[in-house]
Amino acid sequence: MAEHRSMQRAALLDAARSLLSEGGTEALTFPALAERTGLARSSVYEYFRSRAAVVEELCEADFPVWAAEVEAAMADAEGPEGKIEAYVRKQLELVGDRRHRAVVAISASELDAGAREKIRAAHGGLVAMIVQALAELGHAEPRLTAMLLQGVVDAAVRRIELGAAERPDVIVRAAVSLALVGVRG
């Protein structure tokens, strides 16, 4: 019985990921989740009390996976500039990944405090790694620069997501170039 419940919960989370990556947070509704999973709408409420609860659980499941991939890319890179480049590149590389698209949709939405806190915690480790790389480069304001750098990444992610006129590899190259020229200050 417990195994069946956990399978249904996993199916609901997977459906939520798909809905988010296809249509953003507006697409994530209980009727849509019920339709995707073949469960009755009342059953969806047995697993999650609200949309925020679905989002919060997705954050808990997907953010650490996504952050670990970025962290691994940074760990493999040589020197502080290499780490910064890996930080930008890996996040943009993950845009095509359904989990990443769900994460982006979640980040862009109005979240309750619990979900925001989980996202901040997951991002915190990455930002700390960037702050350290910037400090090694001798930046006077490494935290501020790290936040601005993430702004460049977020803008590039949105550009790729929107299917902008430029090819994704052109956007990635421009973002990496902007980041590296910017961090050299």
Side-chain angles (χ1 to χ4, degrees):
M1 182 67 197
E3 192 178 318
H4 177 69
R5 278 191 71 78
S6 86
M7 277 171 59
Q8 284 192 327
R9 184 175 216 95
L12 282 165
L13 287 174
D14 207 47
R17 253 179 226 113
S18 294
L19 289 164
L20 282 165
S21 66
E22 289 159 21
T25 43
E26 302 77 60
L28 180 62
T29 64
F30 278 29
L33 281 172
E35 191 182 320
R36 285 280 165 109
T37 54
L39 291 169
R41 200 184 316 182
S42 58
S43 298
V44 177
Y45 282 99
E46 285 174 34
Y47 291 91
F48 299 104
R49 67 191 179 284
S50 64
R51 262 173 27 139
V54 177
V55 166
E56 201 169 318
E57 194 155 323
L58 270 181
C59 288
E60 239 171 274
D62 292 359
F63 260 99
V65 173
W66 172 84
E69 288 190 45
V70 177
E71 200 168 326
M74 289 174 73
D76 290 344
E78 291 290 314
E81 283 191 14
K83 289 186 185 320
I84 290 163
E85 179 170 350
Y87 175 81
V88 174
R89 266 189 201 286
K90 191 63 181 180
Q91 286 189 67
L92 298 179
E93 209 178 279
L94 291 170
V95 172
D97 181 288
R98 205 162 52 102
R99 277 174 191 260
H100 185 273
R101 281 210 302 275
V103 160
V104 169
I106 290 167
S107 300
S109 68
E110 289 305 302
L111 296 173
D112 70 340
R116 264 202 313 277
E117 202 38 61
K118 288 192 172 65
I119 291 174
R120 250 200 307 278
H123 265 292
L126 291 178
V127 171
M129 289 179 80
I130 282 296
V131 169
Q132 187 183 340
L134 290 164
E136 283 172 37
L137 287 173
H139 262 270
E141 294 282 350
R143 256 202 104 61
L144 171 62
T145 306
M147 296 303 174
L148 295 174
L149 181 63
Q150 186 58 46
V152 169
V153 173
D154 294 342
V157 165
R158 276 192 300 278
R159 196 104 192 119
I160 293 169
E161 288 281 321
L162 290 169
E166 310 86 7
R167 289 193 333 263
D169 61 310
V170 173
I171 296 169
V172 170
R173 221 178 10 257
V176 167
S177 167
L178 187 60
L180 291 177
V181 169
V183 298
R184 287 183 193 121

